[in-house]
Amino acid sequence: GRWRGFATQQESQARRVASLQLPEHVKQSLIGLKVNKLTDIQARAFEPILRGRSFVGTSKTGTGKTIAYLLPLIERLRVDKINRENSVLILVPTRELCKQIGSA
């Protein structure tokens, strides 16, 4: 089995921004912003959201939850060419978080 606290080589590879199913310019932009590896919440959320599945996750403040769901969601919108008839609604509990998401 796997020791607690140690990621397998496959898990470490999956956390690398360079290995994500995103356009190269998006990956390069993230790397330019010093985002080279995904946090735990980002790594767990990316695939289910990208595939259109529901995902519920919790994580402490500052761990990248906004990027965890917006990055795969925006890619899905781009690929599926989602428009007004087939759009996305994001509900947030606070005005502060709404401003953060709106500026992302």
Side-chain angles (χ1 to χ4, degrees), residues 45-59:
F46 192 84
E47 277 301 315
I49 295 171
L50 188 63
R51 293 174 186 255
R53 295 189 177 145
S54 296
F55 177 82
V56 176
T58 60
S59 190

Side-chain angles (χ1 to χ4, degrees), residues 6 8 12-13 15 23 38 44 55-56 64 67 70 86-87 96 100 104:
F6 292 94
T8 64
S12 288
Q13 181 68 17
R15 290 178 146 224
L38 301 177
R44 289 193 326 260
F55 177 82
V56 176
I67 289 177
L70 280 182
N86 186 16
S87 59
E96 178 184 312
Q100 178 185 351

Side-chain angles (χ1 to χ4, degrees), residues 18-60:
S19 68
L20 294 175
Q21 295 176 2
L22 293 171
E24 193 59 36
H25 73 276
V26 174
K27 292 189 270 189
Q28 290 305 314
S29 294
L30 289 168
I31 291 168
L33 293 169
K34 307 281 190 246
V35 178
N36 297 305
K37 286 190 174 185
L38 301 177
T39 64
D40 287 338
I41 189 72
Q42 292 165 347
R44 289 193 326 260
F46 192 84
E47 277 301 315
I49 295 171
L50 188 63
R51 293 174 186 255
R53 295 189 177 145
S54 296
F55 177 82
V56 176
T58 60
S59 190
K60 292 183 179 183

